[in-house]
Amino acid sequence: MLAMNYRGPFRVRTDEKPYPKILHPEDAIVRVTRSCICGSDLHLYHGLVPDTRVGSTFGHEFIGIVEEVGSQVTEIQVGDHVLVPFNIACGKCAFCKQELYGNCHESNPEATAVGGIFGYSHTAGGYDGGQAEYVRVPYANVGPTRIPPEMDPDDAVLLADVVPTAYQAAEMGGIKRVIQ
């Protein structure tokens, strides 16, 4: 499959990489249909994020079609068009039970302060991201969400990171709607 391949600071290219495999019964394989490039990908590209390894595939903002599911995946099925959130969460640990999914230590064995994130260095678990044709999605019962058929995929992909981040920033900044 074709995937973005990090080669070191200021160096990326498209290469053939192995098709991802189901490694755990709660995994899914998603064929990417839309992927965004985040401003934070520039930190990786510039070599500013610790433990960004040569060969990594960036991309934590993507949607796609479920192509394969592990034996314990019950929340999505083959053929579903899904939004995949940027953080990877097990849904069972103490952090996930408090809805602090970005702190899931089960999804990131290197965790000290952050859980797993697609395509964002080995400090965030070392997971390949969505700037590829296919992605292995761990804990597929927790993160991926079906996209309603009436929703435009170009709108749906924005819900993977851009819109929630902007909403949180507006909320934290105390921005209020003005009614005239």
Side-chain angles (χ1 to χ4, degrees), residues 4 12 23 78 104 112 160 171 178:
M4 173 270 174
V12 296
L23 300 178
V78 172
C104 177
T112 55
E171 191 174 70
V178 177

Side-chain angles (χ1 to χ4, degrees), residues 107-163:
S107 66
N108 183 0
E110 304 300 317
T112 55
V114 67
I117 299 173
F118 287 102
Y120 211 79
S121 95
H122 280 68
T123 58
Y127 296 94
D128 276 335
Q131 293 173 18
E133 291 184 284
Y134 296 89
V135 179
R136 173 183 160 253
V137 177
Y139 305 110
N141 287 322
V142 179
T145 303
R146 283 185 194 92
I147 298 170
E150 65 276 5
M151 183 173 225
D152 187 304
D154 291 337
D155 293 334
V157 72
L158 299 177
L159 294 173
D161 185 13
V162 175
V163 171

